[in-house]
Amino acid sequence: PFNQSDGAVVIPGKPERALKHEFVCKKGGPPEYRYCQGEWVKSVVSCVIDDIPFSEGALRQVYRMQIVQKDGQRHDVVAKLSKDPNEERSTYYRDVQAQMCAREWAAEFNDQNVPKPIDFVPAYVFELVDRPGRPLIGVEEFVEGVFVKHNNNVGGIMTTGDAERA
């Protein structure tokens, strides 16, 4: 990697085109589903994905990725790619929709003057249109710092604090 003028690390490689799918929640409907309805909004972006994953979980490998703006500036995100080469494409959309729904629920929870507000990072589905088969990846905003996993997708709890597990 080399540095931009502002000192940020730049992932090497030629930017590639991607179709960004963003789930926009619509309020309404039965209370328990009020944030889970919405629509997918598409836009074309350029991105660069590192060749080597920097982390992994049970189901996905995680890569450093940058969205390249028209002016050349780069925005750090992470790309999550399934370890299963036969992963159904719909899984990426369901995961992102669930995360964006949870983000809306968290905002409503935080409106209750809670002592420790919670948030979910924005997430998207990217379709890598220049690659064979137009593969999908899950994309999330990059969060600086040490990542601590408090629970997993099947009910496992890794920490003891109540607020962290909420």
Side-chain angles (χ1 to χ4, degrees), residues 109 116-120 148-152 156-166:
F109 174 79
K116 265 189 168 176
I118 59 172
D119 195 7
F120 288 80
V148 177
K149 189 168 182 100
H150 297 288
N151 53 39
N152 64 24
I157 297 171
M158 284 81 159
T159 57
T160 58
D162 289 337
E164 291 82 0
R165 294 184 312 189

Short mmCIF file of all heavy atoms in Angstrom, two decimals, residues 109 116-120 148-152 156-166:
data_model
loop_
_atom_site.label_atom_id
_atom_site.label_comp_id
_atom_site.label_asym_id
_atom_site.label_seq_id
_atom_site.Cartn_x
_atom_site.Cartn_y
_atom_site.Cartn_z
N PHE A 109 -34.74 2.75 19.96
CA PHE A 109 -34.32 2.41 21.33
C PHE A 109 -33.56 3.59 21.95
O PHE A 109 -33.82 3.98 23.08
CB PHE A 109 -33.45 1.16 21.27
CG PHE A 109 -32.82 0.77 22.57
CD1 PHE A 109 -33.54 0.11 23.55
CD2 PHE A 109 -31.47 1.05 22.81
CE1 PHE A 109 -32.95 -0.26 24.75
CE2 PHE A 109 -30.87 0.69 24.01
CZ PHE A 109 -31.61 0.02 24.98
N LYS A 116 -26.63 3.87 27.50
CA LYS A 116 -25.61 3.50 26.51
C LYS A 116 -26.29 3.31 25.17
O LYS A 116 -26.86 2.26 24.89
CB LYS A 116 -24.94 2.18 26.91
CG LYS A 116 -23.68 2.30 27.68
CD LYS A 116 -23.04 0.92 27.80
CE LYS A 116 -21.64 1.04 28.31
NZ LYS A 116 -21.03 -0.26 28.52
N PRO A 117 -26.25 4.32 24.31
CA PRO A 117 -26.87 4.16 22.99
C PRO A 117 -26.16 3.08 22.18
O PRO A 117 -24.98 2.82 22.38
CB PRO A 117 -26.70 5.52 22.32
CG PRO A 117 -26.25 6.45 23.38
CD PRO A 117 -25.69 5.64 24.50
N ILE A 118 -26.90 2.46 21.30
CA ILE A 118 -26.32 1.43 20.43
C ILE A 118 -26.55 1.84 18.98
O ILE A 118 -27.40 2.67 18.67
CB ILE A 118 -26.92 0.04 20.70
CG1 ILE A 118 -28.44 0.04 20.49
CG2 ILE A 118 -26.57 -0.45 22.08
CD1 ILE A 118 -29.08 -1.33 20.55
N ASP A 119 -25.78 1.23 18.09
CA ASP A 119 -25.92 1.51 16.67
C ASP A 119 -25.47 0.30 15.88
O ASP A 119 -24.73 -0.55 16.40
CB ASP A 119 -25.09 2.75 16.29
CG ASP A 119 -25.46 3.32 14.93
OD1 ASP A 119 -26.46 2.86 14.32
OD2 ASP A 119 -24.76 4.23 14.47
N PHE A 120 -25.89 0.22 14.67
CA PHE A 120 -25.44 -0.78 13.71
C PHE A 120 -24.85 -0.03 12.55
O PHE A 120 -25.42 0.97 12.09
CB PHE A 120 -26.61 -1.65 13.23
CG PHE A 120 -27.12 -2.61 14.26
CD1 PHE A 120 -27.97 -2.17 15.27
CD2 PHE A 120 -26.74 -3.94 14.26
CE1 PHE A 120 -28.44 -3.04 16.24
CE2 PHE A 120 -27.20 -4.82 15.22
CZ PHE A 120 -28.06 -4.37 16.21
N VAL A 148 -14.65 -6.36 19.05
CA VAL A 148 -14.99 -7.36 20.05
C VAL A 148 -16.37 -7.91 19.69
O VAL A 148 -17.34 -7.16 19.63
CB VAL A 148 -15.03 -6.76 21.48
CG1 VAL A 148 -15.45 -7.82 22.49
CG2 VAL A 148 -13.68 -6.17 21.85
N LYS A 149 -16.43 -9.21 19.44
CA LYS A 149 -17.70 -9.83 19.09
C LYS A 149 -18.40 -10.23 20.39
O LYS A 149 -17.86 -10.99 21.18
CB LYS A 149 -17.45 -11.05 18.20
CG LYS A 149 -18.71 -11.62 17.62
CD LYS A 149 -18.38 -12.62 16.53
CE LYS A 149 -19.63 -13.16 15.92
NZ LYS A 149 -19.97 -12.55 14.66
N HIS A 150 -19.62 -9.70 20.60
CA HIS A 150 -20.35 -9.96 21.84
C HIS A 150 -21.29 -11.16 21.73
O HIS A 150 -21.60 -11.80 22.71
CB HIS A 150 -21.15 -8.72 22.25
CG HIS A 150 -20.28 -7.54 22.55
ND1 HIS A 150 -19.50 -7.45 23.67
CD2 HIS A 150 -20.04 -6.41 21.85
CE1 HIS A 150 -18.82 -6.32 23.67
NE2 HIS A 150 -19.13 -5.67 22.56
N ASN A 151 -21.76 -11.44 20.51
CA ASN A 151 -22.62 -12.61 20.31
C ASN A 151 -22.49 -13.05 18.85
O ASN A 151 -21.88 -12.38 18.04
CB ASN A 151 -24.08 -12.31 20.68
CG ASN A 151 -24.63 -11.10 19.98
OD1 ASN A 151 -24.35 -10.85 18.81
ND2 ASN A 151 -25.41 -10.31 20.68
N ASN A 152 -23.06 -14.22 18.56
CA ASN A 152 -22.96 -14.70 17.18
C ASN A 152 -24.35 -14.88 16.57
O ASN A 152 -25.36 -14.57 17.21
CB ASN A 152 -22.14 -16.00 17.12
CG ASN A 152 -22.78 -17.16 17.85
OD1 ASN A 152 -23.99 -17.21 18.05
ND2 ASN A 152 -21.97 -18.11 18.26
N GLY A 156 -25.06 -17.67 20.44
CA GLY A 156 -23.91 -17.76 21.34
C GLY A 156 -23.56 -16.40 21.92
O GLY A 156 -23.63 -15.39 21.24
N ILE A 157 -23.18 -16.37 23.21
CA ILE A 157 -22.83 -15.12 23.90
C ILE A 157 -21.36 -15.20 24.30
O ILE A 157 -20.95 -16.14 24.95
CB ILE A 157 -23.72 -14.92 25.14
CG1 ILE A 157 -25.18 -14.79 24.68
CG2 ILE A 157 -23.28 -13.69 25.93
CD1 ILE A 157 -26.18 -14.81 25.81
N MET A 158 -20.58 -14.19 23.89
CA MET A 158 -19.15 -14.21 24.13
C MET A 158 -18.70 -13.27 25.24
O MET A 158 -17.55 -13.34 25.67
CB MET A 158 -18.39 -13.80 22.85
CG MET A 158 -18.34 -14.89 21.81
SD MET A 158 -19.86 -14.95 20.90
CE MET A 158 -19.32 -15.78 19.45
N THR A 159 -19.55 -12.34 25.69
CA THR A 159 -19.16 -11.39 26.74
C THR A 159 -20.22 -11.40 27.83
O THR A 159 -21.29 -11.98 27.68
CB THR A 159 -19.01 -9.97 26.17
OG1 THR A 159 -20.24 -9.58 25.55
CG2 THR A 159 -17.88 -9.89 25.17
N THR A 160 -19.94 -10.70 28.94
CA THR A 160 -20.84 -10.75 30.07
C THR A 160 -21.69 -9.51 30.30
O THR A 160 -22.65 -9.56 31.03
CB THR A 160 -20.04 -11.02 31.38
OG1 THR A 160 -19.08 -9.98 31.53
CG2 THR A 160 -19.35 -12.37 31.31
N GLY A 161 -21.34 -8.37 29.68
CA GLY A 161 -22.08 -7.13 29.92
C GLY A 161 -23.46 -7.14 29.28
O GLY A 161 -23.62 -7.55 28.12
N ASP A 162 -24.49 -6.69 30.00
CA ASP A 162 -25.85 -6.68 29.46
C ASP A 162 -26.00 -5.71 28.29
O ASP A 162 -26.64 -6.03 27.29
CB ASP A 162 -26.85 -6.30 30.56
CG ASP A 162 -27.02 -7.41 31.59
OD1 ASP A 162 -26.75 -8.57 31.25
OD2 ASP A 162 -27.42 -7.09 32.72
N ALA A 163 -25.43 -4.51 28.42
CA ALA A 163 -25.58 -3.51 27.35
C ALA A 163 -24.90 -3.99 26.08
O ALA A 163 -25.44 -3.81 24.99
CB ALA A 163 -25.00 -2.17 27.80
N GLU A 164 -23.74 -4.60 26.20
CA GLU A 164 -23.02 -5.06 25.01
C GLU A 164 -23.76 -6.16 24.28
O GLU A 164 -23.66 -6.30 23.08
CB GLU A 164 -21.61 -5.55 25.39
CG GLU A 164 -20.69 -4.44 25.85
CD GLU A 164 -20.85 -4.04 27.31
OE1 GLU A 164 -21.71 -4.62 28.00
OE2 GLU A 164 -20.13 -3.16 27.75
N ARG A 165 -24.50 -6.97 25.01
CA ARG A 165 -25.21 -8.07 24.39
C ARG A 165 -26.59 -7.65 23.87
O ARG A 165 -27.23 -8.43 23.19
CB ARG A 165 -25.37 -9.22 25.37
CG ARG A 165 -24.05 -9.84 25.73
CD ARG A 165 -24.25 -11.01 26.62
NE ARG A 165 -25.16 -10.67 27.69
CZ ARG A 165 -25.41 -11.42 28.73
NH1 ARG A 165 -24.85 -12.58 28.83
NH2 ARG A 165 -26.23 -11.03 29.65
N ALA A 166 -27.02 -6.45 24.20
CA ALA A 166 -28.35 -6.01 23.77
C ALA A 166 -28.39 -6.00 22.27
O ALA A 166 -29.28 -6.36 21.63
CB ALA A 166 -28.65 -4.61 24.31
#
